[in-house]
Amino acid sequence: MRFSRPRGTQDIIPPEVDTWRFVERVFEEVCERYGYRWIRTPIIESTDLFVRAVGEGSDIVTKEMYTFTDRGGRSLTLRPENTASVIRAYLENGMHRWGGIQRLCYLGPMFRYDRPQAGRYRQFHQVGAEAIGSFNPALDVEMIQLVVEVFTGLGFSDVDVRLNSLGAAQSRGPYRAILLEALEGLAARIDPESMDRYRQNPMRIFDSKEYGDALKRELPSISAHLATEDGEHFARVKDLLTSAGVRFTEDPYLVRGLDYYTRTVFEVYYGSYGAQSALCGGGRYDDLVEECGGPATPAIGFSAGLERIVSALAGRVEGKPGAGPPLRYYVVCDGEGSEDRALPLGSMLRARGAAEVDFSGRSRKKQLQVAEKKGARFAVIVDAAREGALTVRDLVAHSDAEVAEAALPQWLDDHEEKEGGA
Ligand code: HAM
């Protein structure tokens, strides 16, 4: 019987996995330099958490969640995103009492039952960061700087950061009425079922795939209707970004598919990569901690999709430090019983560099071909018939040396020193 992976999932195998590791390392390195600490939360959470945080009427909650009842009758959901989980963990572990801003980062699989297509999977992976505990627009700027630094570190010199403000409740209430009125004026061009949804949450129109920009741009934008305080916050974010030399494009129609956002929102696009597919999205969510039962605590964060980043990189990572150390030694086992000597040899060599022992039982010639193909520097041949002696093949110089088994470390020291000096 043959099995295949579920639709919308991927196996990430060598050599492509090296690109993944490269992206993860750049992300880790940048986050750690900004003082972020790692957080790991469960992949399953109670369904209510996402309904509450992401929003009852959002596409994610209404159509895309992997929800099941466990044997104890609880409704659980495979996390469609991680911000809700981070906030749940922040509160559950009393981190709101730790004082100051908590800067947390993460990496892991997320699950959304969406129609699989380029850049859209049912199991996908995000790296992300959340900074919890400040309203200060400077924190928004620091977060966007971090994002840009990750992309620069990956070799994307020219990402497009799109920025908007969705305002807070004081803007949203009056704007909702204005938008709804404008929408009713366009009702003839909108199908009745969607119109019913927009009556519940009119800003969903900006996120809908059914209606093009032309229709959307006939509607008033939120950023043109911000209350004074929200407008000032947004203006300060833009000023600080400009003085920090961070390039951005203001997009008054940018909204996000999750309901928890307030004020600053942003997405990152990359020129040649699908115009519709953001590499990264994020923003402020100043009400979420309180909505999840905690004290009023502002926060901002982002997540970036690894599949999309890897695909946008499209193999442009040659020679980058993702693949781990290159294979240095390859131990060839020739003849029955050679393993007894090859195993301790492997341990000795691994203390010097990456080493692999060939237990395939294939011919010496075949094993040597593999050593060469894998790019090993030296092949160490253990011949069962020759107790105490080894052949070391220099796979670059294509020369063989006969070396006493006990003298191998010294032989390698001499050779590698010469090589280092050359
Ligand atoms: P999001 O925009 O839903 O935001 O997802 C962030 C990123 O995840 C997207 O820009 C995209 O790169 C990737 N992504 C989303 N869905 C898929 C999919 N089906 N297949 C492949 N990649 C996908 C969030 O998840 C928020 N939690 C971001 C955030 C953090 N906001 C504040 N803090």
Side-chain angles (χ1 to χ4, degrees):
M1 201 197 301
R2 289 268 214 132
F3 297 100
S4 44
R5 57 180 183 268
R7 200 164 127 74
T9 66
Q10 277 197 104
D11 297 311
I12 303 148
I13 59 171
E16 202 201 21
V17 74
D18 296 340
T19 309
W20 285 71
R21 303 254 301 144
F22 164 63
V23 177
E24 290 163 12
R25 281 182 193 187
V26 168
F27 174 75
E28 286 173 19
E29 190 271 319
V30 174
C31 284
E32 284 166 10
R33 264 195 297 112
Y34 274 74
Y36 279 74
R37 316 265 317 262
W38 288 91
I39 183 162
R40 294 179 190 183
T41 58
I43 282 171
I44 46 172
E45 295 275 0
S46 59
T47 302
D48 291 345
L49 172 68
F50 299 116
V51 173
R52 191 61 195 263
V54 176
E56 215 162 346
S58 64
D59 278 359
I60 293 179
V61 168
T62 53
K63 303 188 222 160
E64 297 175 1
M65 294 208 301
Y66 278 91
T67 297
F68 64 98
T69 307
D70 77 0
R71 286 167 199 272
R74 303 167 195 90
S75 179
L76 297 176
T77 292
L78 297 183
R79 61 181 185 196
E81 63 104 46
N82 206 26
T83 308
S85 307
V86 169
I87 295 306
R88 198 258 321 125
Y90 170 84
L91 289 171
E92 193 164 350
N93 294 284
M95 293 168 79
H96 54 292
R97 289 189 291 268
W98 292 6
I101 298 173
Q102 296 306 319
R103 289 179 168 84
L104 301 165
C105 62
Y106 51 81
L107 178 165
M110 310 292 154
F111 304 84
R112 294 184 194 175
Y113 190 84
D114 203 344
R115 196 168 61 80
Q117 52 195 291
R120 198 169 292 280
Y121 297 89
R122 289 183 174 168
Q123 173 171 338
F124 61 100
H125 299 77
Q126 286 182 344
V127 291
E130 315 290 344
I132 310 161
S134 174
F135 281 113
N136 199 324
L139 187 62
D140 307 39
V141 173
E142 186 196 86
M143 184 63 75
I144 295 170
Q145 273 181 316
L146 185 157
V147 169
V148 170
E149 218 166 301
V150 168
F151 283 105
T152 311
L154 292 171
F156 297 102
S157 51
D158 47 358
V159 287
D160 178 14
V161 178
R162 295 190 199 159
L163 187 73
N164 195 19
S165 174
L166 303 181
Q170 67 262 25
S171 303
R172 221 70 88 71
Y175 171 67
R176 189 177 188 281
I178 296 168
L179 178 59
L180 208 50
E181 202 187 310
L183 261 174
E184 295 293 355
L186 299 180
R189 289 153 63 192
I190 299 170
D191 88 87
E193 209 180 302
S194 308
M195 196 60 204
D196 282 345
R197 277 202 308 129
Y198 301 148
R199 286 189 181 107
Q200 302 297 316
N201 183 350
M203 283 176 79
R204 287 257 141 70
I205 180 94
F206 296 120
D207 198 27
S208 75
K209 289 162 195 122
E210 298 106 292
Y211 301 102
D213 284 353
L215 184 121
K216 293 175 193 171
R217 279 164 210 273
E218 287 179 44
L219 295 164
S221 74
I222 174 77
S223 53
H225 290 83
L226 292 178
T228 313
E229 238 185 285
D230 293 338
E232 282 168 6
H233 191 278
F234 190 36
R236 183 87 177 122
V237 170
K238 290 184 282 185
D239 283 350
L240 286 170
L241 280 170
T242 305
S243 53
V246 178
R247 278 192 295 161
F248 62 92
T249 318
E250 209 176 323
D251 178 355
Y253 292 95
L254 174 68
V255 295
R256 308 265 304 125
L258 306 95
D259 282 356
Y260 48 63
Y261 292 104
T262 54
R263 293 189 167 171
T264 314
V265 289
F266 57 91
E267 286 185 343
V268 172
Y269 290 80
Y270 178 64
S272 61
Y273 189 73
Q276 297 301 312
S277 308
L279 295 182
C280 161
R284 261 197 180 276
Y285 49 94
D286 292 338
D287 301 331
L288 185 58
V289 177
E290 199 173 5
E291 273 165 23
C292 291
T297 311
I300 181 164
F302 79 90
S303 317
L306 284 173
E307 284 76 5
R308 294 188 189 174
I309 293 177
V310 165
S311 151
L313 277 170
R316 292 196 293 143
V317 289
E318 230 171 282
K320 296 275 169 57
L327 188 63
R328 184 132 187 101
Y329 309 107
Y330 199 85
V331 181
V332 172
C333 294
D334 189 2
E336 215 168 304
S338 51
E339 297 86 354
D340 296 79
R341 290 159 59 204
L343 276 170
L345 261 176
S347 305
M348 184 277 281
L349 291 169
R350 276 191 287 270
R352 309 175 62 96
E356 197 180 316
V357 185
D358 191 324
F359 297 124
S360 68
R362 297 204 292 177
S363 70
R364 176 195 286 228
K365 193 170 155 205
K366 277 266 159 56
Q367 292 184 48
L368 281 165
Q369 279 168 359
V370 175
E372 197 128 12
K373 198 161 150 216
K374 291 196 169 198
R377 180 69 179 74
F378 296 102
V380 177
I381 303 162
V382 185
D383 185 340
R386 294 179 57 229
E387 197 72 38
L390 299 167
T391 306
V392 183
R393 175 163 301 178
D394 183 326
L395 292 166
V396 172
H398 299 287
S399 58
D400 283 356
E402 299 302 314
V403 180
E405 201 157 327
L408 181 63
Q410 188 59 53
W411 187 92
L412 287 170
D413 282 349
D414 295 345
H415 262 72
E416 289 175 337
E417 199 176 311
K418 243 190 275 162
E419 189 192 7

